[in-house]
Amino acid sequence: MSAPFPAHTPVMTPAKAPATARSRRLALGVIATGLLMTVLDGSIVTVAMPAIQNDLGFSPAGLSWVVNAYLLAFAGLLLLAGRLGDLIGRKRMFLAGTAVFTAASVLAGAAGSPGLLITARFLQGAGSAMASAVGLGILVTLFTESRERSRAIAVFSFTGAAGASIGQVLGGVLTDAAGWHWIFLINLPIGIAALLVAVRVLPADRGPGLAAGADVLGAVLVTSGLMLGIYSVVEVGSYGWLSAHTLGLGALSLVLLAAFVVRQGTAPAPLLPLGILRSRSVSGANLVQMLMVAALFSFQILVALYLQRVLGHGAAATGLAMLPAAAVIGAVSLGVSARLSARFGDRNVLLLGLALLIALLGLLTRVPAHGHYATDLLPLMFLAAGFGLALPALTALGMSGAGEENAGLASGLFNTTQQIGMATGVAVLSTLAASRTDTLLAEGRDRAEALTGGYHLAFAVGGGLLTAAFLVALTVLGRPEPGTRSPSADRARGPESETAHRTDAAPAA
């Protein structure tokens, strides 16, 4: 799908795709491994937090920064890293990010003080941003045939969706068996292997260089604005929504981001060409993603907390209890989603996935305080198939308006909205759940009932966010844009139609 871009947008020298299907599969494996390390690192640490606190002497408030430092760097640098990847080469950015992440993981594993661990986590977030921002851009330029690209996106989406559940299992096992240090040190052999393979199989590309698009002022505005905004959101639990700290920093963040938008409309070489947002598929998919990711925090994290704090499961048992959802997501995203998108279109598959997820959170509002996993939670895990349908379709829509020269930017934008949605979901839903729990405790409810009541409220609000995402997808993504045809419709028509579409819609990815 084509989208209008400014005439001055720098043109990247097209990547030379690996010659064989085997090389492309290896490249996909490397990109998926980089994403898996990023997702694992976001979830693997959650089950090790008590051990980290006891060993390093973190205060309760300080302990939250083991997560927040990573999130702050990751979310704040994604957009900048995506643009820099377009300018200096996406392969170079991916390699540099993987190297930074791997080195920072070793530093985190060797940390003997709270300050050193938080510093290492910030560097891990920076490395993850560098690699993740361009990974999807490499994928969509590497797999140019529509059916092949759909399968690759399905693998990419499954890795992200299932990685969090795998991280919870792995984190519990490693912490119990070898100590919390190994949740970080395990990244060393994986990172080295990924680098060695990536050097050989990722397509070489060469951007126009920093001089062609290094909007320094825009970079400062968007990075500082995003970091301040994320910081104000993740600290809501400490200061409250209406505190001077939250409102002041939130307002300053909005001012910086507004100044960034103004700058992008006047800069000779903008960091974010505003034309990319004129594509309904790009802007609509990013909005849907923010709402969806914010809502699904209530499934990924709060269900785990329900298992541990209400049903009394241990860390490893909690991770294992979430594995059926990961298995369902994998079966649907890898075996079904691409075929359904080819036949019915990405938008329709997205709507079906969102409908299943709305049903999932709706039923979770009814889980009892003294429930049983086998009867009250396990049957609901099958509705997690909505992840496997929605994520690949949404990813395809989010990247559909990007051309070769902007694939890294679109990838960085898509990942940035994901992290903004995650941070917002963490702050809003966890705050609502905690507030409701405190209210129920004050009314004399026992702890299990109070906790469950708090989770019920978060599930209900998450369902509302998913409903809003469904309505945006239904309306904003509802009609083809002028002069374009749906890529998924071309897949249904066959290879001849795909060839014609690629010719007509150039420079679309």
Side-chain angles (χ1 to χ4, degrees):
M1 182 175 294
S2 59
F5 294 104
H8 57 256
T9 299
V11 177
M12 171 173 283
T13 301
K16 182 180 179 181
T20 65
R22 179 177 179 273
S23 294
R24 287 197 299 275
R25 288 195 297 269
L26 286 173
L28 174 60
V30 168
I31 295 169
T33 299
L35 174 65
L36 182 62
M37 286 197 299
T38 295
V39 174
L40 283 177
D41 207 68
S43 62
I44 198 172
V45 72
T46 58
V47 295
M49 296 283 270
I52 293 173
Q53 183 176 21
N54 293 335
D55 193 17
L56 297 185
F58 271 98
S59 66
L63 185 65
S64 66
W65 278 97
V66 176
V67 174
N68 292 346
Y70 179 87
L71 181 62
L72 194 65
F74 189 24
L77 294 173
L78 273 166
L79 190 59
L80 174 60
R83 188 55 174 168
L84 290 177
D86 285 334
L87 295 174
I88 67 173
R90 289 186 283 274
K91 179 178 180 178
R92 291 179 183 177
M93 182 61 71
F94 183 89
L95 293 173
T98 303
V100 169
F101 176 85
T102 303
S105 296
V106 175
L107 182 63
S113 67
L116 185 57
L117 180 58
I118 290 173
T119 300
R121 289 288 288 162
F122 186 90
L123 292 174
Q124 276 190 308
S128 291
M130 295 165 66
S132 299
V134 297
L136 190 55
I138 295 173
L139 185 151
V140 298
T141 56
L142 186 62
F143 294 90
T144 56
E145 192 271 322
S146 295
R147 292 179 186 272
E148 189 178 46
R149 179 183 292 181
S150 293
R151 289 191 292 268
I153 287 177
V155 172
F156 184 88
S157 300
F158 164 70
T159 303
S165 297
I166 297 171
Q168 290 172 328
V169 178
L170 190 59
V173 171
L174 286 175
T175 300
D176 290 343
W180 66 264
H181 301 275
W182 282 95
I183 68 173
F184 300 115
L185 295 176
I186 195 174
N187 290 325
L188 178 60
I190 299 174
I192 291 175
L195 283 170
L196 292 176
V197 177
V199 169
R200 297 187 59 186
V201 302
L202 290 187
D205 55 351
R206 186 176 69 252
L210 294 177
D215 179 14
V216 177
L217 177 58
V220 171
L221 288 172
V222 70
T223 303
S224 57
L226 285 172
M227 284 191 171
L228 273 177
I230 297 298
Y231 172 75
S232 65
V233 169
V234 298
E235 285 289 273
V236 162
S238 299
Y239 293 93
W241 284 104
L242 300 179
S243 67
H245 180 275
T246 300
L247 294 178
L249 290 182
L252 179 57
S253 169
L254 291 176
V255 169
L256 290 170
L257 293 175
F260 168 72
V261 173
V262 173
R263 167 69 180 174
Q264 298 316 286
T266 59
L271 184 67
L272 175 63
L274 297 180
I276 196 173
L277 300 178
R278 297 188 192 121
S279 166
R280 281 200 304 269
S281 291
V282 173
S283 57
N286 276 278
L287 178 56
V288 169
Q289 178 173 235
M290 277 198 291
L291 293 167
M292 188 174 78
V293 171
L296 294 179
F297 161 78
S298 62
F299 174 79
Q300 192 65 56
I301 304 299
L302 295 185
V303 169
L305 290 176
Y306 171 80
L307 286 164
Q308 289 182 301
R309 300 172 68 184
V310 177
L311 300 188
H313 289 208
T318 296
L320 289 171
M322 299 293 288
L323 277 183
V328 170
I329 293 168
V332 172
S333 61
L334 298 179
V336 178
S337 63
R339 290 198 294 271
L340 288 179
S341 287
R343 182 169 183 178
F344 300 107
D346 293 318
R347 176 244 191 187
N348 290 329
V349 174
L350 170 62
L351 291 173
L352 175 60
L354 288 172
L356 290 175
L357 294 175
I358 291 169
L360 170 61
L361 292 192
L363 291 172
L364 283 172
T365 63
R366 302 173 62 85
V367 293
H370 304 287
H372 299 86
Y373 172 76
T375 56
D376 296 308
L377 276 183
L378 181 58
L380 303 186
M381 294 292 173
F382 294 101
L383 290 175
F387 282 97
L389 294 174
L391 288 175
L394 187 60
T395 303
L397 289 167
M399 294 298 295
S400 63
E404 166 70 24
E405 73 279 9
N406 284 284
L409 171 63
S411 174
L413 177 63
F414 197 69
N415 281 286
T416 297
T417 58
Q418 183 181 86
Q419 296 306 309
I420 293 172
M422 182 184 298
T424 304
V426 168
V428 174
L429 297 180
S430 62
T431 300
L432 289 174
S435 176
R436 178 61 175 163
T437 296
D438 291 341
T439 299
L440 293 175
L441 287 172
E443 293 175 356
R445 304 286 185 90
D446 66 43
R447 183 167 179 79
E449 289 183 353
L451 286 169
T452 305
Y455 300 147
H456 284 173
L457 177 60
F459 294 142
V461 174
L465 293 173
L466 284 174
T467 301
F470 184 93
L471 293 175
V472 172
L474 184 65
T475 55
V476 177
L477 304 178
R479 298 185 307 273
E481 298 181 43
T484 65
R485 292 206 308 268
S486 167
S488 53
D490 287 332
R491 289 196 295 270
R493 293 186 182 97
E496 296 83 359
S497 179
E498 290 169 10
T499 303
H501 174 66
R502 289 198 299 270
T503 302
D504 295 340

